[in-house]
Amino acid sequence: MKKRKTLYIKFIVTYLIFGVLAFITVATLTSEMTMNYMVKNEAASLYKEATLISNKYASYFYSNIFSSEDVEGQLDAIDTLTDSNIWIINSEGEVLYNSRNNNNQSSSKAIESFNPVSGNNYYTVGNFYGYFNEDTLSVYSAITSNFMIQGYVVIHIPMKNIYEQHKNVLYISYISLGIIFILSTLILVVFTDAVYIPLNQITTATEQYAEGNLKYTFDVNRTDEMGYLAAQLNYMAGKLSQTEDNQKKFIANVSHDFRSPLTSIKGYLVAMVDGTIPNEMHEKYLNIVLNETDRLTKLTNSLLTLNNLNISGMILETTDFDINEVIKNTVATFEGTCKEKKIKIKLVLSGPELLVKADMGKIQQVLYNLIDNAIKFSENGKTIKIETTIKNNKVFVSVKDEGIGIPKESLNHIFDRFYKSDLSRGKDKKGTGLGLSITKEIINAHKENINVISTEGVGSEFIFTLPESSLDEN
């Protein structure tokens, strides 16, 4: 058998790959998205401050409403409050005000390539044209007068604060990812105990059964579907094992029952051919050979009957007929045997006519088998009683003998194929051990019951039921 690739290993590998990919995603894509979000969020907040300054304070540099010292004082206060560096730059790129420069003198040199309106962004991240030695977030807000841009308010904050916040957020993300990974590991443990281990036991069991080891048993002590599946598999294996044992017994019994008469036939014929048996004795032993062939014929017919019952499911041809009349006709076929053994058959029949709905031919076979057994196991001069009664729309047919009886240990096996109790073996030289099996199959096919009551040394009584015909109600 080809070694299987376990799904569990594939599941574990997939689980680990998922964990690695989740970590990479958090470390790259999530990290970048978080950084962009934090920068945009901080830029939006600073932009509000820059807009407020450009609308309320920066224009004072171009008017005589307040002195620039008053405005500078208020801007310094905003610097201290927001922990940011505030610049005011004119349209030529000259720095008119720097909240971090104590003298706040205008820059004599303009910022090269200063172009804050390029693109759609209102902020930049970098060293701001080389003015800073570290990454800085710079946010712009235009100062307008007479519908003309006179300059810009630029607020700078170091990116190191945002980087630190970003690192803390990622740290929280890694912790959350770790917790999720641990919880999913617990789910994996539960899955292993609840699904994988029972499934592996079931798989091992099916392999054992496929190799013919039907005695293999396993225990999945669970009350869920896995436990139910395991219990059903164990039950199936037990039934298959029982069937296999029955098949072996069946073959052994068939072989034994065929071998005995064939050995006898061959022995007598060889003895007649080589002269061991004299000519004047040939007739006697030919009759013995004839009896043995009859026994083989009976055995073969019984096997064919039983096989047909099992394969076809026994097709019944049900009709309404008088069971009392069928009993009388069947009893009549045993008249010669009864005279020979001086056995009396007593009929106790319910009414002159008792209609039942069943397959008459097969019920006649049931009666023949039961009466034949009763005569076979009764001593000379005994009485066999056949009785019919009605109860709750059921007809009960009883065949009771005064024979050798059936031992208690044999009562549960008498309907098994080829079964013969030790007591019956001496009485039934020509029996096949299939008569009662066929009888039970026929009664079961009618969805009725057959039971036996027996006392060793006293006798046996077989009772079976049939449905009463509805014609009796008319």
Side-chain angles (χ1 to χ4, degrees):
M1 181 181 293
K2 185 178 179 181
K3 185 175 179 59
R4 67 181 184 275
K5 294 181 179 178
T6 173
L7 286 174
Y8 189 66
I9 293 178
K10 295 179 181 178
F11 185 82
I12 294 295
V13 171
T14 303
Y15 172 76
L16 294 175
I17 292 175
F18 172 79
V20 172
L21 291 178
F23 179 81
I24 294 174
T25 301
V26 171
T28 56
L29 180 62
T30 304
S31 175
E32 183 179 353
M33 292 175 62
T34 303
M35 174 59 74
N36 291 336
Y37 172 79
M38 295 180 70
V39 170
K40 286 183 179 180
N41 189 56
E42 187 67 24
S45 178
L46 293 177
Y47 182 73
K48 291 180 181 179
E49 295 292 337
T51 302
L52 178 63
I53 294 171
S54 66
N55 292 336
K56 187 174 182 180
Y57 299 111
S59 60
Y60 294 163
F61 283 95
Y62 305 100
S63 67
N64 296 321
I65 299 177
F66 296 109
S67 66
S68 70
E69 288 79 7
D70 293 335
V71 176
E72 288 173 359
Q74 294 184 36
L75 293 179
D76 288 342
I78 295 175
D79 179 329
T80 303
L81 181 65
T82 61
D83 192 22
S84 57
N85 188 359
I86 302 173
W87 289 12
I88 296 179
I89 307 173
N90 64 18
S91 58
E92 284 77 25
E94 296 178 354
V95 179
L96 303 179
Y97 171 78
N98 182 348
S99 64
R100 298 293 171 90
N101 189 353
N102 292 331
N103 53 26
N104 283 322
Q105 300 248 337
S106 299
S107 174
S108 60
K109 184 179 180 181
I111 300 172
E112 293 184 9
S113 305
F114 179 69
N115 185 18
V117 296
S118 60
N120 297 322
N121 291 331
Y122 55 89
Y123 66 91
T124 60
V125 176
N127 58 12
F128 195 73
Y129 302 98
Y131 275 79
F132 299 102
N133 296 323
E134 60 179 348
D135 286 342
T136 302
L137 173 63
S138 302
V139 179
Y140 304 85
S141 177
I143 302 171
T144 58
S145 178
N146 298 324
F147 305 103
M148 297 288 292
I149 295 177
Q150 304 296 328
Y152 297 91
V153 174
V154 184
I155 300 180
H156 307 283
I157 63 169
M159 283 293 293
K160 63 181 180 180
N161 295 332
I162 297 178
Y163 289 154
E164 187 65 27
Q165 294 177 14
H166 175 255
K167 185 167 65 174
N168 291 335
V169 170
L170 279 186
Y171 179 70
I172 295 173
S173 299
Y174 288 137
I175 292 177
S176 300
L177 182 62
I179 293 174
I180 293 173
F181 195 75
I182 291 172
L183 292 176
S184 60
T185 302
L186 293 178
I187 296 174
L188 178 63
V189 172
V190 173
F191 170 81
T192 301
D193 179 66
V195 178
Y196 173 69
I197 293 177
L199 185 61
N200 191 49
Q201 289 178 300
I202 291 172
T203 302
T204 302
T206 56
E207 290 175 349
Q208 291 291 324
Y209 299 151
E211 292 174 1
N213 182 17
L214 296 176
K215 300 294 184 182
Y216 180 83
T217 58
F218 65 103
D219 181 28
V220 176
N221 189 19
R222 304 184 66 88
T223 58
D224 54 13
E225 287 80 359
M226 280 293 179
Y228 179 77
L229 176 61
Q232 291 299 310
L233 194 61
N234 268 324
Y235 177 78
M236 180 197 72
K239 284 296 184 181
L240 289 175
S241 179
Q242 183 180 2
T243 301
E244 185 181 39
D245 291 341
N246 291 338
Q247 186 179 26
K248 290 178 180 178
K249 291 178 183 178
F250 180 84
I251 295 173
N253 288 328
V254 170
S255 300
H256 176 269
D257 280 18
F258 270 97
R259 185 170 59 248
S260 296
L262 287 174
T263 301
S264 179
I265 291 171
K266 181 179 179 180
Y268 288 131
L269 291 177
V270 169
M272 284 187 286
V273 170
D274 63 17
T276 303
I277 298 177
N279 291 335
E280 60 272 17
M281 300 290 293
H282 282 189
E283 183 178 355
K284 173 185 175 182
Y285 288 101
L286 284 174
N287 285 328
I288 294 175
V289 170
L290 184 61
N291 288 334
E292 292 297 312
T293 57
D294 288 340
R295 180 183 171 189
L296 285 173
T297 301
K298 184 178 180 181
L299 176 60
T300 303
N301 290 336
S302 296
L303 285 172
L304 289 174
T305 300
L306 197 58
N307 185 62
N308 289 335
L309 295 182
N310 291 335
I311 293 176
S312 64
M314 192 182 298
I315 300 174
L316 300 177
E317 298 178 2
T318 57
T319 58
D320 297 293
F321 63 92
D322 183 6
I323 186 64
N324 291 345
E325 185 66 24
V326 172
I327 291 173
K328 293 175 185 178
N329 293 336
T330 306
V331 168
T333 62
F334 291 96
E335 184 177 351
T337 306
C338 289
K339 283 183 178 180
E340 183 180 341
K341 295 188 67 174
K342 298 179 181 179
I343 290 177
K344 296 180 181 179
I345 297 182
K346 181 181 178 181
L347 301 181
V348 183
L349 306 178
S350 179
E353 185 181 70
L354 181 57
L355 295 181
V356 296
K357 190 175 186 64
D359 187 315
M360 186 173 68
K362 289 183 172 58
I363 296 302
Q364 191 169 19
Q365 185 176 3
V366 168
L367 289 167
Y368 183 92
N369 289 343
L370 294 179
I371 296 171
D372 183 52
N373 275 354
I375 295 173
K376 194 181 300 178
F377 298 115
S378 295
E379 299 291 342
N380 293 350
K382 297 294 183 178
T383 300
I384 296 172
K385 180 182 177 182
I386 303 176
E387 183 178 6
T388 58
T389 55
I390 305 175
K391 186 176 181 181
N392 298 328
N393 296 324
K394 290 285 185 183
V395 174
F396 292 78
V397 181
S398 166
V399 179
K400 184 176 182 180
D401 62 57
E402 299 174 351
I404 61 176
I406 304 170
K408 288 183 179 180
E409 63 271 14
S410 300
L411 283 175
N412 293 330
H413 302 287
I414 59 170
F415 293 109
D416 294 346
R417 300 174 186 181
F418 295 102
Y419 183 79
K420 292 182 183 180
S421 67
D422 293 336
L423 290 177
S424 68
R425 292 186 184 277
K427 290 280 187 181
D428 189 12
K429 299 294 185 182
K430 296 183 180 180
T432 63
L434 295 174
L436 289 179
S437 295
I438 295 173
T439 296
K440 187 172 181 63
E441 291 286 345
I442 292 173
I443 297 300
N444 287 343
H446 284 81
K447 294 183 171 51
E448 297 295 332
N449 298 310
I450 181 169
N451 296 301
V452 58
I453 302 170
S454 183
T455 303
E456 191 174 343
V458 176
S460 303
E461 180 181 12
F462 286 85
I463 305 170
F464 66 91
T465 60
L466 291 173
E468 185 181 10
S469 171
S470 58
L471 296 180
D472 277 349
E473 299 175 2
N474 298 330

